[in-house]
Amino acid sequence: MMPGIPIYPGQMGHGFCHGCGHPKSKCVCGCRECRKESKEVLVKADTKIGDLRGTAAFTAMMQSHASAPIVMNMAPAGFTQVNVGGRETVALDAAAAALTAGLGTAFIGGSCCVHLSVEYMPTTPTAQSLIAVLVQDSDGTLLAWGKTEKPGVGYQIKECIITTKPGATVTILVVNMTARLRWCEVFSC
């Protein structure tokens, strides 16, 4: 303990710094376990879906996350599930291919598990919108969260949508939305 610093009840329990006894969010000793860095990925729906399908990032997302049924179940009108060569995939009609979408990826680092939160807002309030967050952790486990929004929905915040550990890769897909995915990483330097 550092002299002159009050001891909090449960100081050695979860959520308290083992060095100074303060809650981790109010640590005064600067120990490694209490240092956090905020991270974020901003994704804007600024590419037509018909054009997005040809990108390497979209192809990689569909191949690595093809078993995530959430993308199939949440697709807005115009997306249909089809069987191509014995594998389920998503097909688009002409109206859906004209929608705007965005795709972003990030690596999650640090030394402790992270809780993902997302904030989003439709770019065209009169049209349906979609957001999907897909996480593949270092063990190969797929975690997914998604939401379709009806026309007229405004700014939304969803906290703790997925909890994962360092070494995961996250992909965020938006249709008719701008979204920011956030998390904090515990780090040492």
Side-chain angles (χ1 to χ4, degrees):
M1 283 306 136
M2 296 178 72
I5 296 177
I7 298 174
Y8 285 72
Q11 68 182 4
M12 294 305 182
H14 180 71
F16 288 86
C17 176
H18 295 288
C20 66
H22 282 84
K24 286 188 176 185
S25 62
K26 297 182 180 177
C27 174
V28 295
C29 70
C31 65
R32 178 177 92 63
E33 292 84 15
C34 299
R35 290 188 299 232
K36 291 185 179 183
E37 182 176 338
S38 64
K39 300 286 187 172
E40 67 180 47
V41 176
L42 178 67
V43 180
K44 296 180 181 181
D46 57 3
T47 306
K48 287 189 177 185
I49 291 178
D51 298 336
L52 182 69
R53 288 185 301 169
T55 66
F58 185 81
T59 303
M61 184 204 58
M62 291 307 288
Q63 288 174 348
S64 66
H65 300 296
S67 62
I70 196 157
V71 174
M72 306 297 182
N73 295 334
M74 296 177 37
F79 289 77
T80 54
Q81 186 173 346
V82 295
N83 190 321
V84 177
R87 184 173 169 170
E88 296 295 318
T89 188
V90 175
L92 301 171
D93 64 19
L99 291 171
T100 58
L103 187 65
T105 61
F107 176 77
I108 296 174
S111 63
C112 173
C113 55
V114 298
H115 308 281
L116 302 177
S117 297
V118 68
E119 54 187 313
Y120 58 87
M121 188 169 95
T123 53
T124 307
T126 57
Q128 184 177 10
S129 53
L130 162 81
I131 181 169
V133 179
L134 304 167
V135 175
Q136 184 168 10
D137 72 12
S138 57
D139 296 330
T141 303
L142 290 175
L143 306 164
W145 176 90
K147 182 116 171 107
T148 55
E149 293 289 359
K150 295 180 181 179
V153 172
Y155 177 76
Q156 301 285 313
I157 298 174
K158 305 294 181 190
E159 296 183 2
C160 296
I161 59 170
I162 295 175
T163 300
T164 189
K165 55 189 175 182
T169 303
V170 63
T171 303
I172 180 169
L173 170 69
V174 295
V175 175
N176 186 36
M177 274 192 193
T178 297
R180 180 181 289 128
L181 186 70
R182 296 179 183 237
W183 68 95
C184 284
E185 296 176 359
V186 175
F187 68 98
S188 63
C189 50

